[in-house]
């Protein structure tokens, strides 16, 4: 099996780039952020606080998360219900960032992620894929861009999906999440030593996709 790990901060374009590249290569694209989002969503849905580790951990017994690939698209299921769309709000982003700092939550999701990589060729994106989940990945990429650039992209995505959000608030949330994700004690967001750093600031999405595909094809010896 072949594995490509893509890590980086929120909004760097990881998911769009990884999804398109996976389609091209015939790999499955695994968005691991969706798993943390599902836990955050579930904890809040149960009326518990995502800020309180004890409450979050006590809820794990009642949470069953599953990823299914329908026509090549990842869907995430919480206790049998497809929550893929419900977990996309800015509110759930913050819940996800909070629960992701809890070691038991990361442990809870670890096997699921490794298991997918053991059975499929994968492009997996997240924060700790190259450093923790798939340390032996064939290729590791750390994708980044300035917070302003990332907030602009997120803003555009929300507009396109018909959701009205405040730009300044989005930028603040991105900065807050960057801070949370890179300062937590367990599996913080950081570039693996053997990861390739790609800064997409100022690139169009097409340029970034093109660049990444070239790198991947080259490294994996595809054509
Ligand atoms: O990629 P995303 O924005 O959907 O991720 C949501 C949150 O989940 C993010 O703030 C940090 C956390 N996360 C993580 O800790 N480890 C991962 N591999 C993926 C996401």
């Amino acid at each position: 099996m072949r594995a490509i790990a893509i890590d980086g901060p929120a909004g760097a374009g990881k998911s769009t780039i990884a999804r398109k590249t996976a389609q091209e290569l015939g790999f499955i694209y695994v968005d691991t952020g969706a798993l943390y989002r599902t836990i955050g969503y579930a904890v809040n849905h149960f009326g518990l606080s995502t800020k309180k580790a004890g409450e979050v951990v006590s809820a794990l017994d009642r949470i069953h998360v599953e990823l299914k690939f329908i026509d090549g698209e990842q869907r995430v299921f919480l206790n049998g219900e497809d929550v893929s769309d419900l977990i996309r709000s800015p509110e759930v982003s913050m819940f996800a960032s909070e629960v992701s700092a809890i070691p038991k939550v990361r442990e809870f999701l670890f096997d699921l992620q490794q298991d997918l990589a053991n059975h499929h060729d994968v492009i997996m994106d997240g924060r700790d894929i190259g450093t923790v989940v798939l340390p032996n990945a064939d290729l590791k990429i750390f994708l980044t861009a300035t917070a302003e650039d990332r907030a602009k992209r997120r803003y555009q995505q929300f507009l396109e999906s018909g959701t009205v959000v405040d730009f300044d608030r989005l930028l603040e949330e991105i900065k807050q999440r960057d801070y949370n994700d890179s300062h937590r004690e367990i599996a913080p967001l950081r570039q693996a030593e053997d990861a390739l750093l790609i800064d997409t600031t100022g690139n169009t999405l097409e340029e970034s996709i093109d660049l990444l595909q070239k790198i991947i094809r080259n490294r994996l010896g595809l054509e």
Side-chain angles (χ1 to χ4, degrees), residues 173-192:
E173 276 172 3
I174 284 208
K175 288 184 176 166
Q176 182 66 49
R177 278 215 287 151
D178 283 357
Y179 186 87
N180 291 353
D181 296 348
S182 46
H183 286 80
R184 66 180 178 222
E185 269 174 38
I186 180 156
L189 170 66
R190 67 174 178 81
Q191 184 183 343

Side-chain angles (χ1 to χ4, degrees), residues 32-33 36-37 96-97 100 106 126-129 177 181 184:
T32 63
Y36 292 92
R37 285 173 180 272
S97 186
S100 73
R106 306 200 71 85
R127 303 294 188 284
D128 63 336
I129 309 305
R177 278 215 287 151
D181 296 348
R184 66 180 178 222

Side-chain angles (χ1 to χ4, degrees), residues 6-11 14-15 29 31-37 87-88 92-101 106 113 124-129 133 154 177-178 180-181 184 186-189:
I6 304 187
D7 292 299
K14 296 188 301 288
S15 60
Y29 162 55
D31 161 18
T32 63
L35 301 172
Y36 292 92
R37 285 173 180 272
I87 58 171
R88 292 292 150 200
V92 176
S93 302
M94 211 48 91
F95 296 152
S97 186
E98 284 159 2
V99 300
S100 73
R106 306 200 71 85
Q113 297 171 81
M124 198 173 275
D125 89 25
R127 303 294 188 284
D128 63 336
I129 309 305
V133 179
R154 272 284 149 98
R177 278 215 287 151
D178 283 357
N180 291 353
D181 296 348
R184 66 180 178 222
I186 180 156
L189 170 66

